[in-house]
């Protein structure tokens, strides 16, 4: 007799001419048993799927590795920031048949490095040092190139603005600014304290303040520029790769090794931004680069019918504070400064770094200078950035002293984005064997001022 909820099945068999009946009971599966079977089956299917993906990934890696070993590229550019992208694009435009590869350790587009953010700027004024002839010519050509590009780009990449430099008239900051702008009398206007207070009532000026107005500033949309340069490079047949280079072996054919692949190239361009120190060490160059953590805060502004204010630059408390009106996150005031020195190890966490002391310094400056413009004392958004400086505050551009097929474009010292059109032209000329338009001896990687 079968129990309740079960079925009894009987089969007739024969053994020794006799009929025999064999019966068995088939119990129905309970709900719990069914769930267990489904879960176990699902887990087994997932494990099988993971195994198949790993095998496919391994086969793909092997195929790519074999492909990379057999392929020798014409030029590899390491570094996907503004210098790397501009140089890769310029090289591809010059020699469309060449295999040009752009490699960055992060997926592009990326939000790391010195090129991050939306708004960058370039001015004719130069407060950092007495400007050399080469730097002036590179700046002028870059401004002209940005204006030309803005006319041909599908989306706006810049807006024209004014830059106001303020400080004590006798300070080195103001003297350097004035010296550089004296070469452009049509773009320069001197402002006494009374004029400043009258023209910019939303800014609080100190009593001993003087102003110099640079009417040639270009505010650049960094994010859009980086996007368009990469898209154009790929449209022309350029190759983009994401990989972290762990070893460089120079030679007639240069080997770049990663965890999985080996890339080989006839010529190499190094444009690695804040990550340049370890790369230069790998190339046998003892060059100290200082990396500074920069922060940029955003403040909501009060509605006002008149012109809000120009970009403002001021040397205060041993730092340069810069501010500009922006619409990146709605009408707001953007304020930033480069603060503490950081190590290459710190770069791993730069996206999440929070320096309360730096935020407090920005908030204090914003409240002191722009209390009549901002709605709150604290910023509604803070972003991290970084700058890389050489000892003499000049970029490193040129050939490797031992390997003529390795080219350096690092240590931009705050000029990288604005001057990138001229810098990429220099590197392109060096790679293809042309004489650069400018005298680049002052940017030589072996100059003594890099060590003093």
């Amino acid at each position: 007799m079968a129990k309740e909820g079960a079925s009894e099945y009987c089969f007739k068999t024969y053994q020794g001419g006799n009929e025999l009946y064999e019966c068995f009971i088939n119990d129905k599966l309970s709900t719990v048993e069914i769930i267990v079977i489904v879960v176990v089956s699902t887990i087994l299917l997932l494990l099988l799927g993971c195994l198949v993906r790993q095998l496919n990934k391994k086969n793909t890696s092997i195929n790519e590795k074999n492909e990379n070993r057999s392929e020798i590229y014409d030029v590899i550019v390491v570094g996907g920031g503004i210098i790397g992208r501009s140089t890769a694009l310029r090289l591809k435009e010059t020699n469309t048949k060449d295999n040009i590869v752009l490699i960055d350790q992060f997926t592009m587009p990326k939000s790391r490095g010195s090129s991050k953010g939306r708004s960058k700027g370039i001015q004719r004024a130069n407060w950092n040092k007495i400007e050399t002839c080469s730097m002036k010519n590179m700046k002028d050509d870059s401004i002209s190139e940005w204006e030309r590009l803005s006319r041909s780009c599908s989306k706006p990449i810049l807006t024209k603005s004014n830059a106001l430099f303020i400080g004590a008239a006798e300070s080195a900051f103001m003297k350097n600014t004035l010296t550089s702008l004296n070469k452009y009398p049509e773009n320069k206007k001197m402002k006494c304290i009374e004029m400043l207070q009258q023209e910019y009532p939303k800014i609080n000026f100190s009593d001993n303040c003087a102003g110099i107005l640079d009417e040639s500033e270009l505010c650049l949309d960094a994010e859009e520029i980086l996007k368009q340069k990469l898209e154009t490079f790929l449209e022309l047949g350029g190759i983009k790769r994401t990989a972290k280079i762990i070893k460089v072996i120079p030679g007639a054919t240069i080997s770049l090794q990663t965890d999985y692949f080996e890339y080989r190239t006839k010529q190499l361009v190094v444009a690695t931004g804040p990550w340049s120190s370890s790369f230069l060490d790998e190339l046998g160059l003892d060059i100290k680069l200082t990396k500074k953590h920069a922060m940029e805060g955003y403040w909501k502004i009060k509605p006002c019918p008149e012109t809000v204010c120009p970009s403002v630059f001021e040397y205060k408390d041993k730092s340069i504070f810069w501010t500009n009106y922006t619409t990146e996150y709605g009408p707001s005031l953007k304020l930033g400064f480069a603060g503490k020195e950081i190590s290459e190890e710190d770069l791993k966490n730069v996206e999440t770094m929070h320096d309360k002391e730096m935020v407090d310094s920005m908030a204090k400056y914003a409240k002191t200078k722009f209390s009549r413009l901002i709605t709150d004392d604290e910023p509604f958004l803070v972003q991290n950035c970084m700058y890389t400086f050489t000892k003499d505050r000049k970029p490193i551009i040129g050939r490797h002293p031992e390997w003529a097929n390795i080219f350096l474009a690092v240590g931009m010292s705050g000029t990288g984005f604005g001057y990138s059109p001229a810098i990429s032209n220099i590197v392109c000329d060096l790679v293809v064997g042309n004489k650069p338009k400018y005298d680049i001896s002052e940017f030589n990687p072996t100059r003594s001022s890099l060590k003093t």
Side-chain angles (χ1 to χ4, degrees):
M1 178 68 69
K3 64 181 181 181
E4 186 178 355
S7 300
E8 183 177 34
Y9 297 92
C10 296
F11 295 89
K12 183 168 68 173
T13 61
Y14 295 89
Q15 185 175 354
N18 299 319
E19 291 184 355
L20 297 176
Y21 287 87
E22 295 183 1
C23 299
F24 69 93
I25 297 173
N26 179 32
D27 293 332
K28 290 183 179 179
L29 294 175
S30 67
T31 303
V32 174
E33 291 172 323
I34 293 173
I35 293 173
V36 170
I37 291 173
V38 171
V39 170
V40 171
S41 300
T42 303
I43 292 173
L44 290 174
L45 287 172
L46 289 173
L47 291 173
L48 181 61
C50 289
L51 179 61
V52 170
R53 282 195 296 271
Q54 287 296 323
L55 289 173
N56 288 337
K57 184 177 179 180
K58 184 176 181 180
N59 290 334
T60 301
S61 298
I62 291 172
N63 292 336
E64 288 185 357
K65 189 172 183 179
N66 291 334
E67 179 185 345
N68 288 328
R69 281 180 172 172
S70 61
E71 180 83 32
I72 299 178
Y73 298 105
D74 294 298
V75 185
I76 289 180
V77 179
V78 180
I82 187 62
I83 300 298
R85 293 191 201 194
S86 298
T87 301
L89 175 57
R90 189 75 187 89
L91 287 166
K92 192 63 183 173
E93 289 173 335
T94 302
N95 293 308
T96 55
K97 293 183 180 180
D98 282 359
N99 288 326
I100 312 296
V101 183
L102 177 64
I103 298 179
D104 195 273
Q105 61 180 321
F106 303 111
T107 302
M108 294 178 276
K110 60 179 183 175
S111 61
R112 306 189 186 190
S114 301
S115 296
K116 72 164 290 184
R118 292 297 301 273
S119 55
K120 301 288 182 182
I122 181 171
Q123 308 83 24
R124 296 198 187 275
N126 190 321
W127 69 85
N128 195 34
K129 52 190 172 291
I130 300 301
E131 195 172 47
T132 63
C133 182
S134 290
M135 289 296 288
K136 177 187 178 299
N137 292 337
M138 289 166 61
K139 174 186 63 183
D140 292 343
D141 288 348
S142 293
I143 289 175
S144 297
E145 181 64 11
W146 285 126
E147 291 175 334
R148 186 193 68 79
L149 285 172
S150 71
R151 294 189 292 269
S152 60
C153 286
S154 57
K155 293 183 179 179
I157 62 169
L158 65 81
T159 55
K160 295 185 177 182
S161 180
N162 294 331
L164 179 64
F165 299 84
I166 58 176
E170 296 303 314
S171 65
F173 170 76
M174 294 295 282
K175 285 182 177 180
N176 286 347
T177 301
L178 182 59
T179 299
S180 62
L181 273 181
N182 279 338
K183 302 166 187 174
Y184 311 96
E186 70 281 4
N187 298 123
K188 179 194 71 175
K189 287 184 179 179
M190 304 301 297
K191 303 286 183 181
C192 65
I193 183 63
E194 291 79 11
M195 296 171 66
L196 292 172
Q197 291 173 337
Q198 182 179 355
E199 294 182 29
Y200 308 109
K202 297 292 182 180
I203 305 176
N204 303 320
F205 297 100
S206 56
D207 292 337
N208 64 338
C209 182
I212 305 172
L213 191 68
D214 178 357
E215 297 183 314
S216 66
E217 182 186 48
L218 300 181
C219 291
L220 307 171
D221 187 335
E223 190 175 274
E224 184 62 34
I225 289 169
L226 287 167
K227 177 184 175 183
Q228 290 194 27
K229 284 187 177 291
L230 183 59
E231 288 177 351
T232 306
F233 172 69
L234 296 176
E235 288 170 0
L236 291 174
I239 303 167
K240 178 188 71 171
R241 292 286 184 266
T242 301
K244 183 175 182 179
I245 308 300
I246 59 176
K247 189 172 182 61
V248 182
I249 303 176
T253 299
I254 303 163
S255 171
L256 303 175
Q257 297 180 358
T258 72
D259 287 332
Y260 301 103
F261 313 133
E262 178 191 32
Y263 295 94
R264 298 196 296 165
T265 180
K266 300 173 185 176
Q267 299 185 96
L268 171 67
V269 175
V270 180
T272 41
W275 289 270
S276 295
S277 294
S278 58
F279 213 99
L280 294 177
D281 289 342
E282 186 69 26
L283 293 172
L285 297 174
D286 181 20
I287 299 175
K288 178 175 173 53
L289 297 175
T290 300
K291 291 165 284 294
K292 282 201 169 188
H293 177 203
M295 281 188 128
E296 295 178 328
Y298 294 80
W299 279 259
K300 294 293 183 184
I301 60 174
K302 300 171 184 176
C304 49
E306 70 272 15
T307 301
V308 178
C309 65
S311 299
V312 178
F313 298 84
E314 182 176 17
Y315 182 78
K316 190 175 182 66
D317 299 329
K318 298 182 179 181
S319 294
I320 301 291
F321 287 84
W322 62 85
T323 61
N324 66 286
Y325 170 78
T326 178
T327 57
E328 296 173 47
Y329 304 99
S332 52
L333 179 77
K334 179 179 179 180
L335 188 158
F337 79 108
K340 299 176 181 178
E341 184 174 341
I342 57 176
S343 67
E344 195 149 327
E345 186 67 22
D346 294 329
L347 297 180
K348 297 177 182 178
N349 305 311
V350 73
E351 290 294 292
T352 56
M353 287 174 66
H354 181 79
D355 191 316
K356 186 177 184 304
E357 185 178 341
M358 289 180 66
V359 175
D360 289 344
S361 295
M362 287 195 300
K364 179 182 177 182
Y365 183 82
K367 183 178 180 180
T368 302
K369 193 66 59 178
F370 301 101
S371 60
R372 286 177 281 186
L373 180 64
I374 58 177
T375 59
D376 300 295
D377 292 342
E378 299 296 323
F380 67 84
L381 176 67
V382 173
Q383 293 182 335
N384 293 303
C385 189
M386 46 203 150
Y387 287 89
T388 308
F389 297 94
T390 59
K391 282 186 174 294
D392 59 6
R393 297 297 193 266
K394 294 180 182 179
I396 298 171
I397 310 172
R399 292 181 188 272
H400 189 284
E402 295 183 28
W403 302 98
N405 57 348
I406 297 179
F407 307 87
L408 307 176
V410 297
M412 294 297 123
S413 303
T415 61
F417 209 103
Y419 286 52
S420 59
I423 294 170
S424 59
N425 283 339
I426 292 172
V427 179
C428 182
D429 283 338
L430 292 173
V431 171
V432 301
N434 295 334
K435 182 179 179 180
K437 177 180 178 180
Y438 319 97
D439 177 7
I440 62 170
S441 58
E442 63 185 279
F443 312 129
N444 194 305
T446 60
R447 64 185 186 268
S448 59
S449 56
L450 286 176
K451 300 182 181 299
T452 58

